[in-house]
Amino acid sequence: MAQASEDTAARSTTSLLFVVHQHRARRLHYDLRLELNGRLVCWAVPKGPSMDPGQRRLAVKVEDHALAIADFEGVVPEGDYGAGELLLWDRGTWRPLDDDPEEALAQGKLLFLVGGEKLRGRFVLVRTRYRGEGENWLLIKLKDRYATPGEDITLSRPESVVTQRTITDLQLWAEGLREVQEEVLRLAGAVAQPMPTALPPMWPGGRRDPFCDADWLFEVEQRGPRVLAFCDGSAVTLRDRRQRDVTRQVPELAFALAAMRLPKAVLDGVVSIDSARDPGAAAHRRLAETDQAAIERSRAKTPAVYHAFDLLHFGDHSLLGVALSERRRLLDKLLPDRGVVVFVDHVAMDGEVACEEARRSCVRSVAKRAASIYRPGERSEDWVLVEPTPSSEGARSGESSWSPEEAAELGERLRGERQRSLTVRVGGAAVKLTNLDKVFWPQADERPALLKRDLIAYYAEVSPWLLLHLQDRPLTLRRYVDGIGGESFYQRDWHYRVPDYVRLVPIFAPTAKRDFRAVVCDNAATLLWLVNAGDVEMHAWYARCSNDGRGWPEDFAGSEETVEASSLNYPDFLVFDLDPWTKIARAGGAKEAETMRLEALAACKIVAGLLRERLESWGLTCFVKTSGKTGLHLWAPIERRYRFDTTREVARRLAESLAVTYPDLVTTEWRIEKRSGRVLVDYMQNVRGKTLPSPYSVRATVEATVSMPVAWEDLQDVDSRQFALDNVPRLLEAHGDGWAGILDHRVSLERTLSALDMA
Ligand code: MN
């Protein structure tokens, strides 16, 4: 048996434990905890730690805690000290830079080195002279190679380092847990019984060709050893099919399950090492490993994942006699949406759509009778293996079967479904969609609230057109995990495991001096997966990963020189962001604000026309779209042989010459107070890695507007607000994509360069 605290002990033999909890008590704050002489010394940091040496964060000294809390993630019950959600926001080790840290604390200045997953490098805690109710200290990041000035790490990395949940996810999960606790009491077939300490698993009793039957559930077959998890709060034991204790072989799973503090639960599932080339074989090797150092190395490099598909016991009740569909419903509520313990979804065979999915399904699945009970150790006819038919397409190549009809059908289905979460087949891949009833846009005027299901339905419906604009381009995500009313952050680095239909590309970031992993959205499954992760806006790069046969290296990792020389340095477009100056914020009433908004948009249209005239006189073709806010975006496709430094210089000279010719209309001045009623022609977007919203990207505005391509002849009559999440799919279906084939209009910049004295 492994306790989470043993994991702690193993780490702290050489170094001291460092933990930051995000804590939603009466007020949201962060708790910094440093292990010292057998206890945790703690500070409450209201704004959270920062990696910016320019930021000094108030840290109020609070009472010491026992070491056990260092492994805890969950909800502290009402009535207990610190009641509320506690999320493991960062975790690792620390080392004092003073000889005597106790003395340093007493003196009021502690220098220390942190090795967390988010916080790294040197920090200092300094006690301030003022002593109010508590002891006030300041937490300051010291300058070193880990410092990231300007970044707010609490926004860019809001997730738990153990389960990858946000604190809102944790709150939703806790509600689910409470529901399960109540439901178990009145579940048909549940029997009051102590939790078993070992059980042999149930096995499929045969094989069948693909079939459709509403009484069966179809799970994707997971590759890897069968393992049952016996959880009792922080005590977790994992056993293989022969009931051998394998907890020590997969400490990362034991730790994640322990952190969930399930009040007695037995789970059935499969361990796999998803990041390995052969996930099943790698997992079998891991479970057979006896050398602890080898296990640790493997854990760090290729962490294991537990794919759970059944719940055999919960609380004081055995669920062996409960129907499978009910057991799985409860399990789905118990498991977090993200992390290393994941729920294996199923497709219920209800009606023609599902039958079609079964025919198309490309992987082996296990069909299970929905009403069946669990028979430990038996091979049962209630479970059968289903082999794919030879004609079915592979999961990755299944994209070819993604048609506008299927996209529309999925959109409709999502809007119609009542389930909170749902697994859908998208071009051959199974994509799990969760928290579908989360409000993403609060109710506004006559429009009802828009839920996450509406956002996903929108992206499903526009995917046949949108994907052509996203394919092969690294993406910058703009995530709103709790809807547009919640916090948001830009994200270009994906830190975690991704499903195998998602392409990740390592790209060197010169400022951070390391590679980040960018998501490239090549297929509809990736698109829906991204939206499910709260990515409201799509910002694709202007350059693509592939080199179009031009010989530039398609390798972007390791150094700035590599990226500079690569295909990512050759954009497909010159882009201009036209941003009108408005006094909207300062306007008196709603009516006045509306007048000003329309005036600003009108000015923007005039400038777009002037810019187009200039560019067309040099042979370029321009495309225009609404920004979805007050401005317009103008894109001119160019032959792919100019580097970003050339396109930026072209855009700069062009914008400045316009500002000289039309000084009352155009400015290139960034600062709002200097724009004074003019339209900013922002050329600074022509930089590698910078992005504007992609065509058909939703914007995080109150109106749920969409950045919409517009024909030049229609531009005069267009109001950005007329294009929104609820009407753009119909417009696209009726009129098609105005930007379709945009790359066919690429022209050489030679005439432009000579006109701007750059030749
Ligand atoms: Mn606290």
Side-chain angles (χ1 to χ4, degrees):
M1 185 187 286
Q3 295 228 348
S5 50
E6 277 175 26
D7 184 79
T8 305
R11 279 167 178 243
S12 57
T13 47
T14 47
S15 35
L16 300 162
L17 197 65
F18 149 84
V19 171
V20 179
H21 273 117
Q22 190 184 6
H23 189 185
R24 180 144 55 194
R26 269 172 307 169
R27 287 183 61 181
L28 185 70
H29 63 273
Y30 295 77
D31 288 305
L32 167 69
R33 312 189 194 278
L34 302 177
E35 178 188 357
L36 194 59
N37 298 326
R39 91 264 193 207
L40 293 166
V41 188
C42 302
W43 289 261
V45 186
K47 290 172 83 178
S50 176
M51 290 295 282
D52 182 344
Q55 296 282 327
R56 312 149 137 261
R57 292 286 157 93
L58 173 67
V60 182
K61 187 89 168 48
V62 293
E63 64 187 65
D64 293 350
H65 277 67
L67 283 177
I69 201 170
D71 296 330
F72 181 77
E73 175 169 299
V75 183
V76 180
E78 210 64 51
D80 287 8
Y81 176 79
E85 291 88 22
L86 208 55
L87 186 94
L88 274 170
W89 183 80
D90 199 9
R91 192 170 183 283
T93 56
W94 78 284
R95 194 154 58 79
L97 294 170
D98 303 291
D99 291 338
D100 184 351
E102 293 279 7
E103 177 60 21
L105 280 176
Q107 293 298 324
K109 186 177 180 191
L110 178 71
L111 277 161
F112 59 108
L113 195 63
V114 169
E117 292 193 28
K118 297 174 186 172
L119 302 186
R120 301 192 78 89
R122 289 159 58 222
F123 283 82
V124 65
L125 271 161
V126 197
R127 189 165 55 214
T128 61
R129 268 199 212 119
Y130 169 77
R131 290 194 186 206
E133 262 180 52
E135 215 178 84
N136 285 345
W137 295 58
L138 291 172
L139 174 66
I140 306 163
K141 174 83 193 87
L142 297 174
K143 284 183 191 160
D144 58 19
R145 67 195 184 93
Y146 298 108
T148 50
E151 185 193 1
D152 185 344
I153 195 162
T154 62
L155 287 183
S156 62
R157 300 286 306 271
E159 80 292 343
S160 156
V161 289
V162 179
T163 59
Q164 299 164 31
R165 295 180 283 190
T166 65
I167 200 146
T168 306
D169 294 333
L170 183 60
Q171 194 180 24
L172 289 172
W173 170 78
E175 282 167 21
L177 184 66
R178 272 193 295 277
E179 284 171 26
V180 174
Q181 276 165 325
E182 282 169 25
E183 285 179 38
V184 158
L185 300 176
R186 42 193 160 77
L187 205 56
V191 180
Q193 235 173 52
M195 185 176 92
T197 52
L199 265 182
M202 175 170 169
W203 298 97
R207 282 168 200 274
R208 279 176 70 176
D209 288 335
F211 64 100
C212 303
D213 192 325
D215 295 334
W216 291 70
L217 306 179
F218 294 75
E219 294 168 17
V220 173
E221 189 195 27
Q222 304 297 319
R223 304 257 188 88
R226 267 301 266 294
V227 165
L228 268 61
F230 300 82
C231 311
D232 183 1
S234 65
V236 170
T237 309
L238 294 159
R239 294 185 185 281
D240 71 2
R241 55 187 296 181
R242 293 189 197 84
Q243 302 171 58
R244 187 175 64 102
D245 186 339
V246 292
T247 317
R248 216 166 53 85
Q249 276 68 29
V250 278
E252 66 272 49
L253 299 182
F255 184 66
L257 285 162
M260 284 160 63
R261 296 292 198 275
L262 293 171
K264 291 202 176 77
V266 180
L267 277 53
D268 187 1
V270 162
V271 169
S272 88
I273 296 193
D274 288 3
S275 51
R277 197 175 311 157
D278 185 343
H284 278 287
R285 275 200 302 279
R286 173 79 83 82
L287 289 198
E289 185 61 68
T290 51
D291 175 13
Q292 202 59 39
I295 290 169
E296 280 303 321
R297 276 198 304 278
S298 165
R299 165 200 190 166
K301 210 168 137 232
T302 51
V305 177
Y306 188 50
H307 297 274
F309 49 69
D310 214 330
L311 180 65
L312 313 184
H313 188 101
F314 186 81
D316 300 321
H317 290 79
S318 165
L319 306 183
L320 297 177
V322 173
L324 170 71
S325 54
E326 287 294 290
R327 300 198 306 269
R328 287 181 49 78
R329 194 174 58 76
L330 298 189
L331 178 64
D332 190 14
K333 284 191 183 185
L334 279 185
L335 298 184
D337 290 337
R338 287 187 277 278
V340 294
V341 179
V342 293
F343 178 67
V344 176
D345 251 297
H346 65 261
V347 180
M349 292 292 119
D350 52 350
E352 280 178 33
V353 177
C355 287
E356 183 52 39
E357 277 168 359
R359 267 194 289 280
R360 268 212 309 273
S361 88
C362 45
V363 279
R364 248 165 51 136
S365 54
V366 185
K368 297 177 179 173
R369 210 184 284 277
S372 64
I373 63 168
Y374 194 96
R375 302 173 191 279
E378 281 185 35
R379 291 198 178 271
S380 165
E381 300 278 301
D382 288 336
W383 289 17
V384 290
L385 277 174
V386 180
E387 298 281 2
T389 46
S391 64
S392 39
E393 295 168 57
R396 285 167 206 258
S397 61
E399 200 52 37
S400 55
S401 66
W402 189 242
S403 66
E405 291 71 36
E406 282 171 278
E409 205 173 79
L410 177 57
E412 207 172 292
R413 178 171 163 211
L414 280 170
R415 291 186 215 270
E417 288 277 354
R418 298 259 177 80
Q419 281 154 274
R420 196 174 63 104
S421 68
L422 188 67
T423 294
V424 293
R425 291 234 169 242
V426 182
V431 183
K432 183 172 183 184
L433 306 172
T434 55
N435 292 328
L436 291 170
D437 290 330
K438 211 185 239 187
V439 172
F440 260 56
W441 278 267
Q443 187 186 342
D445 294 337
E446 304 103 70
R447 196 207 59 209
L450 294 172
L451 308 181
K452 191 174 167 192
R453 68 171 69 248
D454 297 304
L455 179 68
I456 300 178
Y458 167 82
Y459 274 113
E461 286 165 345
V462 304
S463 63
W465 298 278
L466 171 60
L467 281 170
L468 298 172
H469 298 289
L470 301 183
Q471 268 164 7
D472 202 27
R473 302 176 188 279
L475 275 183
T476 300
L477 317 177
R478 179 125 196 230
R479 293 177 64 194
Y480 289 78
V481 288
D482 296 320
I484 67 148
E487 284 179 346
S488 77
F489 51 100
Y490 283 98
Q491 181 178 353
R492 58 176 194 177
D493 190 3
W494 195 269
H495 312 279
Y496 300 108
R497 195 175 63 85
V498 297
D500 61 4
Y501 50 80
V502 175
R503 180 173 153 205
L504 283 181
V505 175
I507 303 171
F508 186 78
T511 41
K513 296 191 179 54
R514 63 176 174 83
D515 293 341
F516 62 93
R517 302 199 305 163
V519 175
V520 177
C521 184
D522 288 332
N523 51 45
T526 303
L527 179 64
L528 298 195
W529 171 80
L530 278 171
V531 182
N532 190 59
D535 183 23
V536 169
E537 300 189 352
M538 303 292 155
H539 294 246
W541 289 27
Y542 314 124
R544 281 169 291 126
C545 297
S546 58
N547 62 15
D548 294 344
R550 286 178 179 270
W552 307 308
E554 293 172 350
D555 175 16
F556 324 111
S559 73
E560 190 164 6
E561 293 70 41
T562 317
V563 201
E564 288 279 336
S566 76
S567 45
L568 282 183
N569 211 17
Y570 294 86
D572 286 310
F573 306 99
L574 265 182
V575 298
F576 297 91
D577 179 11
L578 309 189
D579 194 5
W581 177 86
T582 62
K583 282 185 287 186
I584 292 171
R586 275 173 271 159
K591 205 174 160 194
E592 194 186 343
E594 180 64 4
T595 310
M596 285 186 177
R597 187 181 70 82
L598 292 173
E599 277 174 11
L601 183 61
C604 223
K605 288 173 184 173
I606 294 170
V607 173
L610 296 171
L611 191 54
R612 177 196 186 199
E613 213 171 87
R614 207 46 78 103
L615 287 164
E616 290 196 342
S617 74
W618 300 324
L620 288 146
T621 308
C622 301
F623 292 78
V624 68
K625 66 184 179 72
T626 64
S627 70
K629 295 189 173 170
T630 46
L632 295 172
H633 297 153
L634 202 139
W635 293 25
I638 54 170
E639 269 183 17
R640 206 168 163 217
R641 53 193 168 98
Y642 309 96
R643 292 165 164 271
F644 270 110
D645 40 16
T646 307
T647 59
R648 187 178 59 246
E649 183 61 11
V650 165
R652 185 183 70 81
R653 291 198 190 195
L654 180 52
E656 281 171 359
S657 80
L658 268 187
V660 168
T661 320
Y662 307 99
D664 298 335
L665 259 179
V666 178
T667 177
T668 56
E669 191 58 61
W670 245 84
R671 273 164 296 177
I672 300 260
E673 65 270 20
K674 293 205 172 175
R675 290 196 210 164
S676 63
R678 294 172 294 177
V679 174
L680 167 68
V681 176
D682 183 4
Y683 56 85
M684 283 302 290
Q685 299 296 326
N686 293 282
V687 171
R688 187 182 66 240
K690 283 212 175 188
T691 53
L692 289 171
S694 303
Y696 310 111
S697 167
V698 173
R699 304 304 309 274
T701 57
V702 178
E703 299 85 10
T705 46
V706 165
S707 179
M708 185 71 176
V710 180
W712 283 104
E713 56 271 27
D714 299 335
L715 183 62
Q716 252 347 288
D717 303 322
V718 154
D719 180 350
S720 338
R721 286 199 186 160
Q722 77 192 67
F723 305 113
L725 194 143
D726 47 8
N727 65 359
V728 166
R730 266 182 287 127
L731 290 170
L732 260 170
E733 209 174 316
H735 306 292
D737 176 10
W739 283 27
I742 189 168
L743 293 181
D744 299 340
H745 297 271
R746 286 179 290 186
V747 295
S748 144
L749 274 181
E750 296 316 307
R751 281 170 66 191
T752 309
L753 292 175
S754 51
L756 293 169
D757 287 332
M758 287 175 65

